[in-house]
Amino acid sequence: MGFDSFRGNPAAVRLLRMAANGRRTGHAYLFFGTEGTGKRTLAGIFAQALLCGGGEEKPCGRCLACRKFEKGVHPDYAVLRKPPDRAFLTVDQIRALREALYIRPNEADRRVVLIENCETMNAPAANALLKILEEPPSYAVFLLTASSQRAVPETILSRCIPVELFEVPLSEAERWLAEQFPSAGPEERRQALLYGGGNLGRSRAFLEDPAVRQGYERAAALAEALTSRREYDVLAALAPLEGDRGAFDRLLRDFDRILARVAVCAFAGTQDPEAEALARRISPLQAAALHEQAGAARTALSFNGNLALTAAAFGAGLRSVMERG
Ligand SMILES: [Zn+2]
């Protein structure tokens, strides 16, 4: 996988391509952007390019280093992430990394370390990483990912070259979906495109993960029932969530994205019949008020609010918006 395979984000790609193919490479890069915008993918291509031993254009995809990288066995590349059963990426992991880093590279000119979701580091881990970043071995390059710059301690941020990733234009996402999922039907791809809204990871998840699709269908059913004033169906859409915080949060996010699609239809010609149908049944003001209700419920969930109460308050809030007309 070379830089050409990465979609959208031309400024970020240009910056990294020049860094990998020239002599001026920084010691640390922070890839940040919404989940699904390709931070890990692009960091991986950059890492491969930094280790590549061949070709005019790195990564060449053919040299021994590239082949080892693609098999996941390059000795000078390490990935650090929070263990699934832990709350944080810990200081022990950073200490182990530091020891490994002081051994010179085995095969390449560099050692490359990818630290995924660095906002999951606790304070001792972040301090330990900062010490390494203050005086890194000359051959080390750190690639960090995070959902936003704000999630990263200022002291670490100031030592990183920022690489921000964005959603891609819909036309580009449409082409990408056709290439990546040729066996999906056109209707399925259309749904995935609208669900992702230019976020390729989100579109991919829609096609590959049945739970994502199911969650979206529940949010769509809620929007449909609400705007059609089918009270019983609104309750039915909310009922299963009272025991499942994660599913509730996903529903709120999906519901909010559907409202965003409705808002877009109000002033632009779209090819989004689902959203257009909803837009005919509610006013832009109602859509905005529903969006506020979803935001309030997500805030309550993030502060660990009682699940059943939050669901009840959300249901009552939706009802009052619809009654206001
Ligand atoms: Zn290569």
Side-chain angles (χ1 to χ4, degrees):
M1 281 237 302
F3 285 110
D4 285 336
S5 67
F6 193 78
R7 291 312 160 86
N9 294 287
V13 168
R14 199 176 319 118
L15 170 86
L16 298 173
R17 182 176 248 153
M18 277 166 58
N21 286 283
R23 286 168 199 284
R24 295 174 68 86
T25 308
H27 274 297
Y29 293 79
L30 174 69
F31 295 76
F32 66 100
T34 322
E35 183 68 35
T37 45
K39 303 181 289 287
R40 257 172 308 164
T41 305
L42 185 58
I45 296 169
F46 185 46
Q48 182 176 348
L50 291 173
L51 297 169
C52 170
E56 305 229 308
E57 165 74 19
K58 293 174 200 264
C60 72
R62 290 181 304 276
C63 71
L64 185 61
C66 279
R67 278 181 281 143
K68 283 191 173 179
F69 186 91
E70 286 173 5
K71 278 196 209 138
V73 296
H74 198 295
D76 298 318
Y77 180 57
V79 179
L80 224 64
R81 61 171 78 94
K82 175 183 89 63
D85 57 338
R86 294 281 190 82
F88 299 106
L89 197 159
T90 65
V91 68
D92 293 338
Q93 290 176 275
I94 302 287
R95 285 199 189 115
L97 168 71
R98 186 180 57 197
E99 275 167 34
L101 263 183
Y102 286 99
I103 303 166
R104 297 196 63 82
N106 286 303
E107 294 177 9
D109 300 332
R110 297 185 174 104
R111 271 182 180 278
V112 182
V113 181
L114 171 63
I115 304 182
E116 286 181 8
N117 300 321
C118 68
E119 61 264 59
T120 60
M121 282 187 294
N122 60 12
N127 285 332
L129 176 64
L130 180 62
K131 291 219 175 71
I132 308 178
L133 290 179
E134 281 168 346
E135 284 179 74
S138 59
Y139 45 80
V141 181
F142 295 86
L143 313 179
L144 279 54
T145 73
S147 55
S148 79
Q149 280 183 301
R150 272 171 304 152
V152 182
E154 178 58 41
T155 45
I156 289 182
L157 196 60
S158 67
R159 288 182 165 75
C160 294
I161 297 169
V163 182
E164 184 169 15
L165 295 184
F166 301 93
E167 270 77 24
V168 309
L170 280 186
S171 56
E172 194 148 355
E174 196 173 10
R175 275 199 300 280
W176 179 84
L177 280 165
E179 280 166 26
Q180 297 285 313
F181 297 94
S183 60
E187 171 58 19
E188 222 184 343
R189 283 206 299 265
R190 188 189 67 83
Q191 292 275 1
L193 177 69
L194 291 171
Y195 182 76
N199 182 310
L200 302 183
R202 211 182 291 151
S203 286
R204 175 190 288 282
F206 184 87
L207 289 170
E208 290 181 343
D209 185 347
V212 168
R213 170 105 46 126
Q214 205 186 11
Y216 166 72
E217 281 163 3
R218 188 178 283 166
L222 173 63
E224 179 67 31
L226 191 66
T227 56
S228 313
R229 275 84 171 164
R230 293 200 315 268
E231 179 75 7
Y232 176 79
D233 294 335
V234 172
L235 291 174
L238 293 174
L241 304 167
E242 291 183 6
D244 188 341
R245 189 172 292 269
F248 192 11
D249 191 58
R250 280 197 300 281
L251 173 98
L252 292 170
R253 251 184 307 173
D254 284 345
F255 180 66
D256 216 14
R257 289 195 192 116
I258 292 172
L259 292 171
R261 282 163 56 181
V262 172
V264 169
C265 308
F267 53 87
T270 56
Q271 301 199 316
D272 190 347
E274 289 88 350
E276 281 162 19
L278 296 174
R280 281 193 290 274
R281 299 199 290 259
I282 54 173
S283 68
L285 271 179
Q286 279 176 314
L290 293 174
H291 161 74
E292 273 173 32
Q293 293 295 335
R298 288 199 72 196
T299 306
L301 285 185
S302 73
F303 284 105
N304 243 351
N306 178 292
L307 205 51
L309 287 181
T310 306
F314 177 57
L318 296 180
R319 225 170 291 132
S320 90
V321 170
M322 296 312 292
E323 278 160 13
R324 263 180 267 158

